[in-house]
């Protein structure tokens, strides 16, 4: 058995990646679904977005809707990412990187916009700082792993079009 065959499979550090991928959509739902449900069913959304109310800001609507849409899309994308992972689809590393970067960009952007609405709180409260720290771990640990790991290159090869190769040197006949 050659080295490429030995590395093929969902083993090694990919077990940690897989664990994170499996719990991610459920963690997002557990964290945000109750809060959004409450905002939209308790009258809070109307109170925050109706001109003339004490808490009104024109940014509340876009902020709440933006967070709801982003997190909803992340749940859907997380399930798709899990599908790519378990089917060992060649697109997995690319989609993983895009989602990891999107999260790392969205968190501080969302905190910045929220700081215009919630002016008496720090932009990075402890919960936001914790989420942002987690996203940076993904950026600085898992993205490089996806780019350089031989196991990743050997495992995520299913459904790759015949003309699409990761290592273009292999396709050149010199």
């Amino acid at each position: 058995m050659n080295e490429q065959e030995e590395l093929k499979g969902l083993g090694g550090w990919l077990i940690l990646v897989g664990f994170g991928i499996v719990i991610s959509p459920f963690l997002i739902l557990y964290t945000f679904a109750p809060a959004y449900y409450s905002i939209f069913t308790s009258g809070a959304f109307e109170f925050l977005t109706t001109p003339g109310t004490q808490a009104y800001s024109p940014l509340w609507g876009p902020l709440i809707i933006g967070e709801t849409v982003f997190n909803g899309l992340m749940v859907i994308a997380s399930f798709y990412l899990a599908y790519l992972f378990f089917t060992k689809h060649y697109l997995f590393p690319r989609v993983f990187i895009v989602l990891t970067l999107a999260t790392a960009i969205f968190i501080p952007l969302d905190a910045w916009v929220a700081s215009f609405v919630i002016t008496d709180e720090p932009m990075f409260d402890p919960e936001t700082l914790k989420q942002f720290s987690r996203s940076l771990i993904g950026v600085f640990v898992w993205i490089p792993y996806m780019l350089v790991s031989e196991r990743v290159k050997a495992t995520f090869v299913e459904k790759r079009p015949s003309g699409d190769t990761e290592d273009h040197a292999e396709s050149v006949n010199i």
Side-chain angles (χ1 to χ4, degrees), residues 70-131:
F70 179 81
N71 285 304
L73 290 173
M74 288 305 289
V75 168
I76 294 166
S78 294
F79 281 119
Y80 178 62
L81 189 64
Y83 163 78
L84 294 175
F85 180 80
F86 288 110
T87 60
K88 302 174 187 165
H89 198 285
Y90 81 100
L91 288 176
F92 171 78
R94 294 175 191 168
V95 174
F96 179 90
I97 290 169
V98 167
L99 293 178
T100 302
L101 288 173
T103 301
I105 292 167
F106 180 79
I107 292 170
L109 181 63
D110 181 56
W112 178 66
V113 172
S115 74
F116 292 111
V117 178
I118 309 168
T119 56
D120 58 339
E121 294 288 325
M123 186 168 110
F124 284 102
D125 64 349
E127 182 60 30
T128 304
L129 197 54
K130 184 170 82 173
Q131 290 175 355

Side-chain angles (χ1 to χ4, degrees), residues 27-46 60-75 106 110 131:
L27 187 60
I28 295 169
L29 286 170
Y30 176 78
T31 304
F32 295 107
Y36 294 135
Y37 180 79
S38 175
I39 287 171
F40 289 113
T41 60
S42 69
F45 184 76
E46 290 79 12
W60 269 123
L63 179 66
I64 294 169
I65 297 295
E67 287 181 353
T68 305
V69 168
F70 179 81
N71 285 304
L73 290 173
M74 288 305 289
V75 168
F106 180 79
D110 181 56
Q131 290 175 355

Side-chain angles (χ1 to χ4, degrees), residues 43-58:
F45 184 76
E46 290 79 12
F47 181 71
L48 295 170
T49 59
T50 302
T53 59
Q54 183 181 6
Y56 172 76
S57 170

